[in-house]
Amino acid sequence: MNPSPHTLPGDAAQYAAAAGLDPARLPTHVAVIMDGNGRWAESRGLNRLTGHNQGYRTLKNIVMESQKLGLKCLTVYGFSTENWRRSEEEVNGLMRLMLRAMRSEIEELIQSHIRVRISGRIDSLPPDLQEEFARAEQRTAHFSGLTFNLAINYGGRAEVVDAVRLLTQQVKEGVLRAEEIDEQTIARCLYAPDLPDPDLLIRTSGELRLSNFLLWETAYSEIYVTPIYWPDFGPEQFVAALADYQRRKRRFGAVEELD
Ligand code: FPP
């Protein structure tokens, strides 16, 4: 049974003040594996899609709180390259939910000056969803507040494969020499090369694995796992993760803490 989150009314700013969060030392980029929608629903005798619907409400809340707290970048794992293995009903339900969510949230995202990015193998998604995502990216491209990066049909290994294909093409065309390939050239060929690596990776529902999420980019991310299922993850839990991050010493392989 999932522990109760004891969520109090209030938003992240209140919790941030109560937790003594230092606004100057917030992570620039937070990545989230939003896990536990299915178990949240099943533990209540509900169907899994009801859990995803509830997960969407949580996501909306966390995006808005991230913007209010002044985070620069939030990446969430919305659908993995492995999620196609789920039942047709669940996959179709998730596609419909993403379409509905994008259509109903886009105006508020624009009003809040949030830049939307999509990372993943987008061309395998239903055409109406591809169009909605492309429109959202175009309409928000000029905003410089929070970047909300949605990983859809995303796999960390697929991302590296796609980068290798791009690099191979460049070598074939003679614009790049094989000896010039280094970490920077690879990073430039990933899906979101303009975003910094995540400082903090949050995973809900207690599982201790990366599940093929941002394998390259999380090389030095701090990892925070909470047993709470994603639909129960609120501003209080989000601030707790940020506060935990602020207590970490980041050394990036060195002996002394580095900024
Ligand atoms: C993992 O929980 C969650 C997903 C695979 C989908 C995430 C989707 C949402 C949060 C809905 C809203 C998304 C967007 C982009 C609008 P799980 O189903 O694996 O849970 P389980 O491990 O308990 O079965």
Side-chain angles (χ1 to χ4, degrees):
M1 191 63 190
N2 194 32
S4 158
H6 302 299
T7 306
L8 301 166
D11 61 18
Q14 283 168 269
Y15 294 120
L21 265 195
D22 177 356
R25 291 180 52 247
L26 285 172
T28 304
H29 185 174
V30 177
V32 187
I33 302 178
M34 310 181 288
D35 196 15
N37 293 348
R39 277 164 287 165
W40 180 92
E42 282 157 11
S43 68
R44 287 165 174 76
L46 303 169
N47 88 21
R48 296 177 57 84
L49 283 173
T50 309
H52 294 313
N53 250 305
Q54 203 59 34
Y56 156 42
R57 285 166 186 254
T58 297
L59 176 56
K60 176 172 180 179
N61 210 359
I62 295 301
V63 171
M64 292 306 166
E65 295 301 345
S66 298
Q67 162 82 338
K68 283 190 227 159
L69 284 168
L71 297 186
K72 294 303 288 176
C73 188
L74 177 76
T75 295
V76 301
Y77 208 3
F79 192 89
S80 76
T81 45
E82 288 73 36
N83 285 152
W84 297 105
R85 296 180 194 147
R86 296 186 176 201
S87 72
E88 204 180 319
E89 184 196 0
E90 185 168 348
V91 169
N92 290 343
L94 276 166
M95 295 297 150
R96 279 197 305 274
L97 174 61
M98 288 189 275
L99 186 64
R100 180 162 59 83
M102 212 67 242
R103 285 183 176 157
S104 56
E105 304 306 336
I106 186 62
E107 298 305 330
E108 195 174 336
L109 289 165
I110 290 170
Q111 270 167 26
S112 308
H113 288 203
I114 294 174
R115 182 168 74 128
V116 177
R117 292 287 300 271
I118 312 293
S119 288
R121 289 185 169 166
I122 306 307
D123 46 10
S124 319
L125 296 174
D128 50 0
L129 190 55
Q130 288 186 45
E131 280 163 31
E132 211 56 45
F133 282 155
R135 227 185 338 260
E137 283 190 314
Q138 278 160 18
R139 293 184 70 193
T140 62
H142 55 291
F143 293 136
S144 58
L146 174 72
T147 294
F148 171 44
N149 182 32
L150 201 42
I152 303 290
N153 196 21
Y154 174 89
R157 288 183 173 182
E159 183 178 29
V160 173
V161 168
D162 290 349
V164 170
R165 285 183 182 159
L166 263 175
L167 288 167
T168 312
Q169 192 57 34
Q170 290 172 13
V171 172
K172 252 203 240 165
E173 287 166 1
V175 292
L176 181 73
R177 284 183 297 123
E179 314 82 79
E180 287 171 338
I181 297 175
D182 57 12
E183 291 189 12
Q184 274 83 43
T185 37
I186 294 174
R188 274 201 296 274
C189 290
L190 299 176
Y191 295 141
D194 53 319
L195 305 185
D197 288 343
D199 304 290
L200 172 65
L201 170 70
I202 299 174
R203 180 165 191 152
T204 57
S205 97
E207 308 289 347
L208 300 175
R209 50 176 179 266
L210 284 177
S211 299
N212 203 14
F213 189 44
L214 303 176
L215 297 181
W216 178 280
E217 299 87 336
T218 54
Y220 280 101
S221 303
E222 296 296 322
I223 300 179
Y224 179 88
V225 177
T226 169
I228 289 167
Y229 293 150
W230 177 249
D232 286 330
F233 188 84
E236 188 181 9
Q237 289 76 34
F238 191 40
V239 165
L242 299 176
D244 191 87
Y245 167 83
Q246 290 194 338
R247 290 190 289 271
R248 308 274 180 101
K249 290 203 186 316
R250 304 191 74 196
R251 292 192 294 269
F252 299 94
V255 177
E256 300 294 324
E257 186 174 10
L258 300 176
D259 286 326

